[in-house]
Amino acid sequence: MRLISLPAFEDNYIWALQNGADAIVVDPGDAGPVLALAGQGLQPIAVLITHHHLDHCGGVAALRERWPSLPVFAPHDDRFDFHFSTVGDGLRVAVGGWHFDVIGVPGHTLSHIAFVDEHHLFSGDTLFSLGCGRLFEGTPAQMYESLQKLARLPSHLQVCCGHESTLTNAAFALVVDPDNAALSARAEEARRLRAEGRSTLPVALASEQECNPFLRCDTAAVRNAISNRLGRTPADTIETFAELRRWKDEFRV
């Protein structure tokens, strides 16, 4: 099995899992990169969609023009404009020998889901490397619990998220948690990879558990950073997370 990352738009990734000529495609916001792979002999056998934003699903119509019977699996959401099979938290997608567990992760959007197989976590715009998605629809409590669900998954999983945002996330994370040696090493690795024109993804969930401040709101380092920002001790981890996300929204590199 081969994992392929397909850059799209300014900083999106479309993901593909290939086994021989067959492939599972995740979040094709643009059909072009997938069609280009097809020109090399790749045959998509299913599409997985994490949420309704067009940069994650806008290519489905064009893919269906090429492959009219291509199955699509997505969360229940009336905003999709194509036919799909609805999947949600606790269900499993089985197609072409692949099996993906579905995890409901509301926060970025209310219907957002993630897909997990034996080796990969396709987290969409919920968990990024060293960051997390903005709260467009959900509450801080929802997003915090969603991230905790992902943080509790096996640490060997490779996080395959929707955007190449590691460098900007690292700049913020280092302000929050400057004494974190693992974070400093990950930030340096990300700078080197981008300087070489390479992707910073996927990344082991174990690294995110050590480095990502949004997964570490219960640690002294993150709590202290938020206490200094608020001028008082946050009431709980939800307030810590909410203020951390608000801080990130305002942060400029």
Side-chain angles (χ1 to χ4, degrees):
M1 184 185 300
R2 181 167 72 110
L3 177 70
I4 306 168
S5 62
L6 303 173
F9 308 121
E10 183 177 345
D11 61 8
N12 277 75
Y13 285 117
I14 301 163
W15 295 95
L17 279 175
Q18 181 182 2
N19 186 9
D22 293 341
I24 303 289
V25 177
V26 183
D27 282 354
D30 181 6
V34 182
L35 293 171
L37 277 184
Q40 303 171 24
L42 190 70
Q43 173 69 39
I45 62 170
V47 171
L48 309 181
I49 303 292
T50 62
H51 64 294
H52 76 275
H53 289 163
L54 283 177
D55 62 325
H56 290 256
C57 67
V60 169
L63 294 179
R64 279 265 175 78
E65 287 181 9
R66 175 73 180 272
W67 298 283
S69 61
L70 182 65
V72 177
F73 300 89
H76 175 73
D77 197 308
D78 293 337
R79 291 167 289 192
F80 291 117
D81 62 358
F82 49 81
H83 175 75
F84 63 96
S85 297
T86 301
V87 292
D89 188 60
L91 297 181
R92 172 171 276 204
V93 174
V95 59
W98 279 282
H99 296 85
F100 301 91
D101 292 318
V102 181
I103 303 175
V105 285
H108 181 67
T109 69
L110 288 176
S111 62
H112 203 302
I113 58 176
F115 295 93
V116 181
D117 71 2
E118 185 179 356
H119 303 290
H120 310 96
L121 163 59
F122 297 100
S123 58
D125 285 359
T126 296
L127 174 63
F128 295 139
S129 184
L130 305 182
C132 74
R134 289 178 180 267
L135 277 66
F136 287 124
E137 297 176 8
T139 66
Q142 286 175 313
M143 187 63 147
Y144 178 76
E145 178 53 33
S146 294
L147 289 167
Q148 288 302 299
K149 284 183 184 180
L150 301 184
R152 291 191 290 266
L153 293 171
S155 60
H156 73 271
L157 291 175
Q158 294 293 303
V159 178
C160 306
C161 57
H163 292 270
E164 178 60 72
S165 57
T166 309
L167 286 184
T168 54
N169 290 340
F172 174 71
L174 287 167
V175 171
V176 176
D177 194 5
D179 298 323
N180 185 327
L183 170 59
S184 295
R186 170 61 176 156
E188 179 56 35
E189 175 191 51
R191 285 190 288 268
R192 175 180 55 79
L193 289 169
R194 295 309 289 161
E196 295 172 355
R198 298 165 60 194
S199 173
T200 64
L201 303 167
V203 60
L205 183 58
S207 174
E208 295 303 303
Q209 292 163 337
E210 289 185 314
C211 302
N212 191 326
F214 292 97
L215 301 186
R216 306 179 67 251
C217 290
D218 59 347
T219 65
V222 176
R223 283 198 310 269
N224 289 342
I226 296 303
S227 295
N228 291 336
R229 178 171 164 82
L230 292 173
R232 60 174 176 81
T233 301
D236 52 27
T237 52
I238 301 301
E239 185 179 22
T240 300
F241 172 80
E243 186 59 30
L244 186 66
R245 183 61 258 182
R246 189 176 300 113
W247 188 2
K248 178 62 164 61
D249 290 343
E250 299 170 356
F251 184 77
R252 298 293 180 270
V253 178

